[in-house]
Amino acid sequence: ASRTLEEINRPQGRKAQNEQSFSDLDDKRKKLTDEQISLGNPDNEKTKIENDLKALKQYQHDLSNLSKKRGKLTAEQNKFKTLSEKAKDAEDELSRMTTLFYSAQAGILAEKLEEGKPCPVCGSTHHPVKAQKAKDVPSEEELKHMEFKAKELRNKANEQSNKCSGLLKTIGDEEERFTKLGWSTDEAELATLPIRIVKLENQINELSAKVSRFKLIPGLIEQLGTQRQHLEKEK
């Protein structure tokens, strides 16, 4: 009788377990469905963040290059200043030497003037104040050499000026492009960009995990459905 009673009660216990399993499966399914809804569309969000990261890295690269060009411009402008000063010094020296050279010619001519005889330049026969021959007079060859040197330095200064102008225009065009893209041209931004890049990379890693989970949920829900079918059959 005890064995018979046990056999009679066994299906009742199994039925209770079966009903509990139904409840558990429904709870799991609801949680997975709620989780699926809360995740939204992480794949699209991840794509957007990846595009933001790509744009930010491009900005970092371009701003770094702009900073280098500005540094180069400063160096080239200093070089122009040095060349311009050297050219001016050479031109001043050429002017001084030219004055000495032609003054010397007048002095040499004055040495040959004789009272009563006409001057070969003005024709006067009286020479009350003769030009004095200058000291340390440069030769014609030295004068030509200085003239060549002054001209060469001025040409180099002009070439350097054109180089600076070209670089200045390049920087101006680049800054204008930055403005159109809504980017700041302030080099101080370079210090903040690595932090912003790391933040976006962390967001992408988190979204990658969400994407994996999002893709996994439909399979889990399907498994729960299969288990429920087995329970229905057993019931």
Side-chain angles (χ1 to χ4, degrees):
S2 295
R3 284 196 297 272
T4 302
L5 181 61
E6 185 180 342
E7 289 173 1
I8 291 171
N9 289 333
R10 190 179 299 121
Q12 294 296 329
R14 182 57 184 157
K15 181 182 178 183
Q17 291 178 4
N18 190 287
E19 289 175 349
Q20 183 61 46
S21 296
F22 270 115
S23 178
D24 292 343
L25 286 174
D26 288 341
D27 286 344
K28 289 179 180 178
R29 184 185 182 91
K30 185 178 184 307
K31 288 179 180 178
L32 285 172
T33 303
D34 290 344
E35 183 183 358
Q36 190 176 36
I37 293 171
S38 68
L39 285 172
N41 197 333
D43 209 4
N44 286 351
E45 191 177 351
K46 179 187 174 188
T47 300
K48 179 183 177 303
I49 298 296
E50 285 174 339
N51 289 336
D52 290 344
L53 178 62
K54 183 179 179 181
L56 193 60
K57 285 185 175 180
Q58 185 65 50
Y59 172 47
Q60 182 186 43
H61 176 268
D62 290 353
L63 185 58
S64 178
N65 283 342
L66 179 61
S67 176
K68 291 176 182 177
K69 287 175 183 176
R70 285 170 171 168
K72 184 178 181 182
L73 175 62
T74 299
E76 296 296 346
Q77 287 175 329
N78 289 335
K79 188 176 179 181
F80 164 72
K81 183 180 178 182
T82 300
L83 284 172
S84 184
E85 288 173 352
K86 286 183 178 180
K88 186 179 183 306
D89 290 343
E91 288 165 350
D92 289 344
E93 179 62 14
L94 174 62
S95 178
R96 186 189 72 81
M97 290 175 66
T98 301
T99 300
L100 278 175
F101 179 80
Y102 286 107
S103 294
Q105 304 310 306
I108 292 172
L109 183 63
E111 286 182 338
K112 299 178 180 179
L113 292 177
E114 295 181 17
E115 191 64 27
K117 291 184 178 181
C119 171
V121 178
C122 64
S124 175
T125 55
H126 299 286
H127 321 292
V129 184
K130 295 182 181 180
Q132 299 297 314
K133 185 177 179 181
K135 297 179 180 180
D136 301 324
V137 179
S139 65
E140 186 175 356
E141 184 179 348
E142 289 173 332
L143 191 64
K144 287 182 178 180
H145 176 74
M146 179 52 68
E147 185 178 2
F148 174 80
K149 182 179 179 181
K151 186 177 180 180
E152 184 179 36
L153 284 171
R154 180 52 63 189
N155 287 338
K156 285 183 178 180
N158 290 337
E159 288 175 4
Q160 188 64 21
S161 176
N162 292 335
K163 189 175 182 179
C164 289
S165 297
L167 193 54
L168 193 61
K169 184 181 183 306
T170 299
I171 291 173
D173 292 343
E174 191 74 358
E175 289 176 340
E176 184 178 353
R177 184 177 72 86
F178 271 49
T179 301
K180 288 180 179 178
L181 290 171
W183 292 351
S184 170
T185 59
D186 187 355
E187 294 177 27
E189 289 288 321
L190 284 171
T192 68
L193 293 179
I195 299 173
R196 291 165 61 185
I197 287 173
V198 169
K199 185 177 179 180
L200 289 180
E201 288 174 340
N202 290 337
Q203 289 180 5
I204 289 173
N205 290 335
E206 291 174 3
L207 286 169
S208 294
K210 286 184 178 181
V211 169
S212 299
R213 179 64 179 172
F214 185 79
K215 292 179 178 178
L216 187 64
I217 287 176
L220 295 175
I221 292 176
E222 186 178 351
Q223 288 177 15
L224 292 175
T226 302
Q227 291 177 30
R228 203 176 195 287
Q229 288 176 2
H230 288 318
L231 288 175
E232 286 283 359
K233 185 181 293 185
E234 186 177 8
K235 181 180 176 182

